Amino acid sequence: MRMDVVSLTRQLVDIESISGNEGLVGHVLAQELKVLGYDVRRTPVEGERANVFATSPQEPNPAVVFSTHMDTVPPFIPSSEDNDCVYGRGSCDAKGIIAAQIAAAEVLKKDGIYVGLLFLVGEERDSRGAKVANQQANGCKFLINGEPTENRVAIASKGSLRVQLTATGRMAHSAYPELGESAIDKLIEALHRLRAKPLPSDPEMGPCTLNVGTIEGGRAPNVISDHARAQLLYRLIGPTEQLRREIVAAVGDLAKVEFTLEIPFVRLRTFEGLSTMVAAFTTDIPALSNWGQPLLVGPGSIHVAHTEGEYVEKKQLHEAVELYCAVARHSLGLA
């Protein structure tokens, strides 16, 4: 009997697992996989947070591993469904994907094809789970990573560069601005320069983009600000050396520039005859370099992930089961 992928999706969505709180969902997944007959290893990452890696007793070192993440962004939204969709936090990013991958592994098992299942913590924050897993790779040849791509195979995944700008000034009474030095004014000018700066673009991969995510600073409306800070995120389509130099040059002495995190742009493998796309978002793939050749595909749309109306179409969930099976067979040269 085929696994009920919709019910499993809802079961997982109803377990709150915002990044940093993945302990319970990991325990539940480990137990479910043990019931299905898998050998399961939980690898601690932090406190109760642990990655879950499952293999079939018939193949402890599988050539193909399905992988995605257990954590979600806030806030927690419990599951619901109608005739067409499952709703709730994580329904498409990425608990529906977990359910589809487990269901696909069960279908493949009936045909004597044994794949691994790797479910990770922390993807939405810093890929910490993936970094831990990369130190304990099992020698697999192919990593089928799941993110919401509407069941199209990604030919590339954009990277990301996080930048922090910190401006400093001198406090004064706002009635006498000439006696102070506004850190906020400096920050605004620095942001204006960066927003006006042309960014690279590629006809196939699309543009590099900039988002000013947060701005904070100042003391009170009647005080000239002595500090201000902004957090920026660039979506990358290539290396960052030139971009970093241009950011520093544009900001000049208006603010201190710190590059706090980089996830590189990656090109990915695909197979002839499969629908493709470019993922404008980042994934755990760059942190899983020891887990074989990566491929990225999954049900659901990234356009509704991280929204209050997040959902995944039931039709796409069922199609994803077949797609994951097909991709595994292609990877192993069995298609």
Side-chain angles (χ1 to χ4, degrees):
M1 185 172 66
R2 176 163 291 202
M3 174 175 290
D4 188 338
V5 70
V6 170
S7 293
L8 181 54
T9 297
R10 289 200 62 179
Q11 178 186 353
L12 295 173
V13 169
D14 285 333
I15 303 171
E16 187 267 290
S17 61
I18 293 167
S19 301
N21 194 37
E22 303 98 325
L24 178 57
V25 73
H27 279 291
V28 170
L29 270 173
Q31 185 60 38
E32 290 287 334
L33 291 166
K34 287 176 183 177
V35 169
L36 291 171
Y38 291 89
D39 294 329
V40 180
R41 182 170 76 238
R42 295 180 71 253
T43 303
V45 174
E46 179 187 48
E48 288 296 308
R49 305 171 70 204
N51 296 330
V52 175
F53 183 47
T55 56
S56 294
Q58 296 88 340
E59 181 51 80
N61 297 299
V64 173
V65 171
F66 294 153
S67 179
T68 190
H69 59 95
M70 299 179 284
D71 63 317
T72 71
V73 298
F76 170 66
I77 304 171
S79 74
S80 61
E81 67 177 291
D82 56 25
N83 289 336
D84 299 318
C85 301
V86 176
Y87 302 87
R89 180 59 77 230
S91 53
C92 77
D93 190 17
K95 291 178 176 179
I97 293 171
I98 293 175
Q101 290 183 340
I102 294 174
E106 288 295 285
V107 172
L108 291 166
K109 187 193 298 183
K110 294 175 183 177
D111 293 334
I113 302 170
Y114 303 102
V115 300
L117 295 162
L118 176 66
F119 302 129
L120 303 165
V121 304
E123 189 272 346
E124 297 288 5
R125 182 178 295 172
D126 54 11
S127 289
R128 185 167 179 181
K131 293 171 185 174
V132 169
N134 209 40
Q135 300 170 11
Q136 301 166 330
N138 76 324
C140 70
K141 295 180 180 178
F142 306 101
L143 179 77
I144 315 303
N145 192 248
E147 290 286 349
T149 67
E150 299 178 63
N151 284 338
R152 295 178 292 163
V153 179
I155 61 172
S157 175
K158 288 187 179 181
S160 64
L161 179 66
R162 293 184 187 178
V163 185
Q164 179 172 282
L165 302 183
T166 305
T168 57
R170 184 173 66 254
M171 284 190 289
H173 196 294
S174 64
Y176 303 94
E178 68 277 7
L179 300 179
E181 186 179 20
S182 173
I184 288 177
D185 286 350
K186 290 182 180 181
L187 185 64
I188 289 172
E189 175 58 25
L191 293 173
H192 174 72
R193 292 181 186 180
L194 292 178
R195 284 167 51 83
K197 192 181 79 63
L199 294 173
S201 185
D202 180 273
E204 186 177 28
M205 303 302 161
C208 174
T209 59
L210 165 63
N211 179 58
V212 181
T214 66
I215 299 176
E216 57 183 338
R219 303 284 180 173
N222 59 347
V223 178
I224 302 298
S225 61
D226 64 327
H227 68 93
R229 183 169 59 207
Q231 305 277 352
L232 287 62
L233 182 70
Y234 288 85
R235 296 286 177 179
L236 306 171
I237 59 169
T240 62
E241 290 81 2
Q242 180 64 26
L243 177 61
R244 286 172 179 251
R245 287 194 293 268
E246 292 176 357
I247 291 170
V248 171
V251 172
D253 60 2
L254 291 169
K256 177 183 178 182
V257 178
E258 296 174 89
F259 299 102
T260 57
L261 177 68
E262 179 177 348
I263 300 173
F265 164 82
V266 290
R267 293 183 182 271
L268 300 164
R269 65 194 296 265
T270 184
F271 296 106
E272 186 176 350
L274 298 179
S275 180
T276 61
M277 55 88 77
V278 174
F281 49 88
T282 56
T283 73
D284 273 334
I285 286 175
L288 292 168
S289 57
N290 292 329
W291 284 78
Q293 296 182 44
L295 185 146
L296 178 66
V297 65
S301 170
I302 197 67
H303 296 150
V304 299
H306 299 194
T307 71
E308 62 183 15
E310 182 176 346
Y311 68 89
V312 64
E313 294 180 8
K314 293 179 180 178
K315 179 182 177 183
Q316 282 200 14
L317 281 176
H318 293 296
E319 290 173 347
V321 176
E322 302 302 324
L323 182 56
Y324 282 128
C325 290
V327 169
R329 290 189 176 98
H330 269 292
S331 298
L332 295 169
L334 300 175

